[in-house]
Structures are given as C-alpha cells and as structure tokens.
C-alpha cells in the first residue's frame, strides 16, 4: 500500500552552505544535493562566512561561485555590520533579508554595541526582512529596536517558551514580526545532549521539555520551519573545542511527516510553514511545475550512511520515521527519486520578486 501526497517544493530561508571559506564542511554542490533530497527546491544561504557577506564584492563572489553548481535554487542573505550599512541600497534587490547576530555563534558577525545596532536597524529598508539571532533577553532588545525603526522583524530559530511568548505579545500589539523554528528544537531537548555530546550542541542550545511542549502547543503562532542547516565535520564535532551547529536539510521534512502521522500538526499547516509563509514573508518567486512527492506510509530509519550533506552525520541518526520523500521535481524535471539524485545541477540563483 502506498499513500502518496504531493507537496509544493519546500522553501528553507535559513541554511549555512559554508562556501566560500569552509568547504571542508559543506559546499554549494553537496549542500544543494542535500536540499533536493530533503524536498527543498529553494534555500537561502546565510552570510556568516569566515569572510562575511557584508559588501557587494563578497556577495557577487558568492553568487559567481554557485553558478552552474546548485541542484536546488539558491538565494542569499546579507550580513548586518556597521561596515555593511553604506551598501544596503545597492544590494537590497539581490538579497532576501539582512541577518543580524546579537548572540554568539559561528562566524565573525556578532554585534553587541547599541549604537551599531541602532544604525543597522534604522538603515535597512523597512519593506525588507531583518532577521535576528536573538535569544532570551536579547530578543527584548531586538523587538524594542525594530519597534523604534519600524522594521519587518523575523526572529530566527525560536527555541524557548520565553522567546515565543515575547513574539506572541508583539504580534498581539500589531507589530510586524514573524518567526521560525528548527526541527531540532521541536524534537530534541537538553536531556539529549547527554546522549549526543557535542553532536547535540547548537545555538540556541537545546532547551527543556517544557519549552519544547510550549512550542508544539503554540505551533500556530510560529510562521515558518527552517532547518538552520549548519554542518561541521565529525572531527570538528568530536574535538575538545565545541563548534555549534547541526545539519538539517535532509531530516526536517521527514520529521514533519512523522509529526503529521502522529497528529501533532496538520499537513496544511506544514505546507503553510514550509512554503506559503516563507514565500510571503521573504518575497520568494514561484517555481513552475515544482513539487515533492511523499509516501505517508513508508517506514524507514534515518542513517548517517545515506546523507548527501558533506558532513555525513545527523543528530537524528537511528530514528525510525513513518513518511518518506519519494521524489523531488524542479521545473518539470525529476531531480531526485528513490534516494538518488537523477539529474545534473539545474538550480538557479534566485532573487526577491519585489521589495
Ligand atoms: Zn543559523
């Protein structure tokens, strides 16, 4: 028996493909292969490369590097920094959003200085998304700044009850605010760190069961699902010094299918969070004849052995899943079927429809 459902190609507005600068972890080819294997037909790359994407030259270099090598469509975000402010008008039509790092994470883009933050929030175009990495108390600061400057704020990877409560309150007040959640923050808790060791380390860190339960019971207040695909090699994860981040492109949709089978979320809500909402929030162009087929009844086990991501591991290794991606179709062409990439790279660079 099969129970095949057709979904629109998924959109992931938060991935780290690590090129240029860290191609031993991932690159445009392996990262976008992982995308189509995971049902994603558009992904948007974050700017926190070792040489961050905070000027037009770095952005153009990244776009050029990706040309002809991507299996899904690929878009780009710009990096928030004082030095980036003079370029905002020049790059705004080429990027989907500005990413501002207000807490420590991978890369050199952290900003804690209030004047610098004020300058960035006030200058970024008001009709374009301003994304923040802002955990707990820092989120209060981000919301205050965005209210002051009337930004279109998008809160990345909500992980704790306190964060979602702040966002729900701001929404009630009529603020322009949206947020995303990663599947690791819906399926893992701080207790899993004992089992996973450094493989369970990411930013924001895994939270309590109470936090996870709160996210699930308020899933309708969260706008999008993002993988926050952030690969590091096994050697790096097993080293003494912690590197934060986990891959997610190939496991997010399977975990969502499991959640639909478990009746924790409806398929309509999955489509809203992975396609309708990200498209609307970020002005992402339509892709003609592009879809994913899933078999809701097929049972299988997530394995480190069957991944396209260069890092070759997942925190969900060994997890049994009901619901499997059968096929990904990009512009009428089957690009992934029965666990295999079936066509050469046919993805394109993608840009916002209007802003
Ligand atoms: Zn991230």
């Amino acid at each position: 028996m099969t129970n095949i459902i057709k979904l629109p190609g998924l959109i992931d507005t938060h991935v780290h493909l690590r090129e240029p600068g860290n191609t031993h972890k991932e690159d445009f080819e392996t990262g976008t292969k992982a995308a189509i294997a995971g049902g994603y037909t558009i992904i948007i790359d974050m700017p926190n490369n070792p040489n961050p994407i905070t000027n037009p030259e770095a952005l153009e270099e990244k776009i050029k590097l990706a040309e002809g090598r991507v299996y899904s469509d690929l878009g780009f975000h710009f990096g928030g920094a004082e030095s980036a402010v003079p370029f905002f008008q020049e790059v705004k039509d080429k990027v989907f959003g500005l990413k501002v790092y207000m807490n420590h994470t991978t890369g050199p883009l952290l900003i804690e200085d209030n004047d610098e933050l004020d300058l960035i929030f006030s200058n970024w175009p008001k009709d374009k998304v301003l994304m923040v990495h802002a955990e707990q108390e820092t989120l209060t600061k981000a919301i205050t700044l965005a209210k002051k400057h009337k930004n279109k704020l998008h809160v990345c990877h909500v992980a704790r009850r306190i964060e979602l409560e702040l966002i729900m309150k701001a929404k009630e007040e009529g603020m322009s605010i949206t947020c995303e959640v990663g599947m690791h923050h819906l399926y893992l808790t701080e207790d899993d760190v004992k089992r996973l060791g450094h493989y369970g380390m990411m930013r924001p860190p895994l939270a309590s069961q109470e936090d996870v339960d709160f996210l699930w019971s308020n899933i309708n207040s969260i706008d999008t699902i993002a993988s926050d695909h952030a690969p590091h090699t096994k050697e790096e994860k097993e080293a003494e010094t912690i590197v934060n981040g986990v891959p997610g492109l190939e496991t997010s949709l399977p975990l969502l299918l499991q959640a639909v089978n478990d009746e924790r979320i409806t398929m309509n809500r999955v489509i809203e969070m992975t396609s309708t909402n990200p498209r609307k929030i970020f002005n992402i162009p339509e892709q003609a004849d592009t879809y994913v087929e899933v078999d809701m009844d097929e049972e299988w086990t997530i394995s480190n052995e069957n991944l396209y991501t260069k890092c070759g591991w997942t925190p969900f290794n060994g997890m049994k899943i009901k619901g499997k991606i059968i096929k990904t179709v990009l512009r009428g062409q089957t690009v992934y079927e029965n666990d295999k990439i079936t066509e050469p790279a046919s993805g394109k660079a993608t840009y916002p429809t209007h802003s």
Side-chain angles (χ1 to χ4, degrees), residues 185-203:
H185 289 127
L186 287 174
Y187 266 93
L188 299 171
T189 71
E190 57 200 4
D191 290 339
D192 290 297
V193 179
K194 296 182 196 105
R195 175 175 61 84
L196 292 166
H198 288 188
Y199 286 107
M201 300 291 198
M202 75 238 12
R203 284 287 172 269

Side-chain angles (χ1 to χ4, degrees), residues 151 241 261 307 323:
N151 297 108
T241 314
N261 275 322
L307 298 169

Side-chain angles (χ1 to χ4, degrees), residues 230-344:
H232 297 283
T233 67
K234 287 182 189 170
E235 292 71 31
E236 289 166 336
K237 283 306 246 186
E238 284 167 17
E240 214 170 302
T241 314
I242 293 170
V243 289
N244 287 303
V246 296
L249 278 168
E250 289 162 272
T251 48
S252 292
L253 179 54
L255 289 164
L256 283 166
L257 300 180
Q258 180 67 56
V260 170
N261 275 322
D262 291 337
E263 297 182 356
R264 303 179 88 171
I265 189 168
T266 64
M267 190 56 100
N268 278 344
R269 186 65 193 148
V270 169
I271 293 169
E272 279 173 13
M273 294 179 83
T274 58
S275 168
T276 322
N277 290 350
R279 172 159 283 128
K280 214 187 299 175
I281 294 165
F282 289 89
N283 290 324
I284 292 168
E286 296 283 345
Q287 294 171 299
D289 292 321
T290 296
Y291 57 90
V292 185
E293 278 182 13
V294 297
D295 183 343
M296 291 306 292
D297 289 345
E298 188 167 338
E299 295 182 50
W300 61 291
T301 303
I302 294 176
S303 166
N304 285 349
E305 313 302 315
N306 302 327
L307 298 169
Y308 284 95
T309 174
K310 196 182 272 189
C311 74
W313 64 273
T314 158
F316 300 105
N317 181 46
M319 188 168 164
K320 289 190 169 54
I321 298 281
K322 187 176 179 187
K324 195 166 190 290
I325 302 161
I326 303 302
K327 185 197 272 193
T328 305
V329 175
L330 179 63
R331 286 181 280 274
Q333 192 175 43
T334 300
V335 291
Y336 173 83
E337 191 169 25
N338 299 326
D339 303 319
K340 297 273 180 304
I341 307 279
T342 51
E343 288 294 331

Side-chain angles (χ1 to χ4, degrees), residues 142-191:
I143 289 174
T144 306
L145 274 166
K147 271 185 188 161
K148 178 179 169 193
H149 297 294
K150 302 195 165 47
N151 297 108
K152 192 175 169 188
L153 190 68
H154 181 75
V155 182
C156 293
H157 39 53
V158 169
R160 295 183 187 88
R161 176 180 187 142
I162 177 183
E163 293 155 5
L164 186 52
E165 280 178 342
L166 284 169
I167 292 161
M168 288 161 74
K169 187 167 162 272
K171 281 186 176 186
E172 267 169 38
E173 292 168 4
M175 187 185 168
S176 171
I177 184 170
T178 52
C179 67
E180 70 186 31
V181 66
M183 295 312 289
H184 43 273
H185 289 127
L186 287 174
Y187 266 93
L188 299 171
T189 71
E190 57 200 4
D191 290 339

Side-chain angles (χ1 to χ4, degrees), residues 14-16 46 48 99 101 105 133 156-157 180 203 228-230:
H14 189 158
V15 303
H16 303 266
M46 284 293 176
N48 61 329
K99 177 72 180 284
Y101 290 88
T105 186
H133 178 146
C156 293
H157 39 53
E180 70 186 31
R203 284 287 172 269
D228 194 7
H229 181 80

